[in-house]
Amino acid sequence: MPRGTLFILSGPSGSGKDTVLCKLLALRPEVKLSISSITRAMREGEKEGEKYHFISREEFESMLAAGELLEHNVYLGNYYGTPRRPVEEALAAGRDIILEIDVNGAEKVRALMPEAVSVFIMPPSLAVLEKRLSGRGTEDAETVHKRLKEAVGEIARAAAYDYIVVNDELDEAVNAFASIIVGERARIEKQKYL
């Protein structure tokens, strides 16, 4: 059985990566999402263990000290990180897994696991990105401004990714990402077992 493929998904806040990911996972249920550990407060509509494990700073720092994280980062004052063991177990079992992480985390994972396939979800424009962020209604104007400033730096690093998917039309973006997964599975390295 071939080893699973690790997919890295990044994009600025408001690019629609969560929506693309949700539709992709419904379309390709055999692909699994890595559950991140984070220290920020749970937002309305979020559920423990669905996408994140909401833990205390002390728990996170303990995991970090024990070397239990594949990558970690601080974003807007909160820790975000990927537990190492579940990712390694999924890949060894031949399962494809997606890490939804920021550009800094993606860089760290690519350095540790250069075989990872990275996908950057790009908003069609900064104006659309600002409209999406403001339209959420979950953050004040100052936080939206911080996220836009952060997005400019993230977009500048998109060229380091294997693929860029522009999320202008949602279904097209989902289909593009699904095509990347199918294409990566067809690589000769994955088919040698045949």
Side-chain angles (χ1 to χ4, degrees):
M1 171 178 30
R3 185 171 165 82
T5 300
L6 175 62
F7 292 93
I8 297 170
L9 177 65
S10 302
S13 182
S15 63
K17 65 185 175 298
D18 289 334
T19 306
V20 169
L21 184 58
C22 184
K23 288 196 94 166
L24 173 81
L25 293 173
L27 187 66
R28 310 287 316 188
E30 76 282 5
V31 178
K32 298 302 173 196
L33 175 66
S34 171
I35 308 299
S36 298
S37 293
I38 64 173
T39 61
R40 73 162 167 76
M42 191 182 306
R43 294 180 183 149
E44 188 174 327
E46 290 181 324
K47 295 177 184 164
E48 168 61 32
E50 187 173 78
K51 187 175 173 185
Y52 299 115
H53 292 297
F54 297 91
I55 63 174
S56 69
R57 290 184 75 84
E58 293 76 20
E59 288 174 289
F60 194 99
E61 289 169 353
S62 175
M63 291 173 71
L64 189 57
E68 297 174 5
L69 296 171
L70 189 58
E71 60 80 33
H72 74 283
N73 200 12
V74 177
Y75 184 74
L76 299 177
N78 295 300
Y79 282 120
Y80 290 70
T82 303
R84 179 185 300 270
R85 197 181 86 235
V87 171
E88 291 176 347
E89 288 174 354
L91 295 173
R95 300 174 93 182
D96 293 338
I97 189 163
I98 299 174
L99 303 183
E100 183 190 351
I101 53 180
D102 71 6
V103 292
N104 296 316
E107 185 178 335
K108 292 172 188 172
V109 173
R110 284 194 310 265
L112 289 171
M113 304 173 89
E115 72 279 7
V117 177
S118 55
V119 180
F120 191 90
I121 301 295
M122 182 77 75
S125 70
L126 286 177
V128 169
L129 183 63
E130 181 175 18
K131 184 177 179 182
R132 288 177 181 172
L133 288 170
S134 299
R136 286 179 175 175
T138 58
E139 295 159 337
D140 59 28
E142 182 181 340
T143 303
V144 168
H145 178 73
K146 284 181 186 175
R147 288 195 184 274
L148 279 172
K149 187 176 178 183
E150 210 45 54
V152 171
E154 291 172 331
I155 289 168
R157 295 169 67 183
Y161 284 69
D162 297 312
Y163 298 94
I164 293 176
V165 173
V166 177
N167 184 18
D168 190 11
E169 172 57 46
L170 178 60
D171 288 337
E172 287 179 22
V174 172
N175 288 335
F177 193 3
S179 296
I180 291 166
I181 291 170
V182 171
E184 288 297 325
R185 287 181 181 161
R187 284 186 175 271
I188 190 68
E189 306 89 57
K190 295 286 183 175
Q191 301 304 320
K192 287 183 178 176
Y193 76 98
L194 293 173

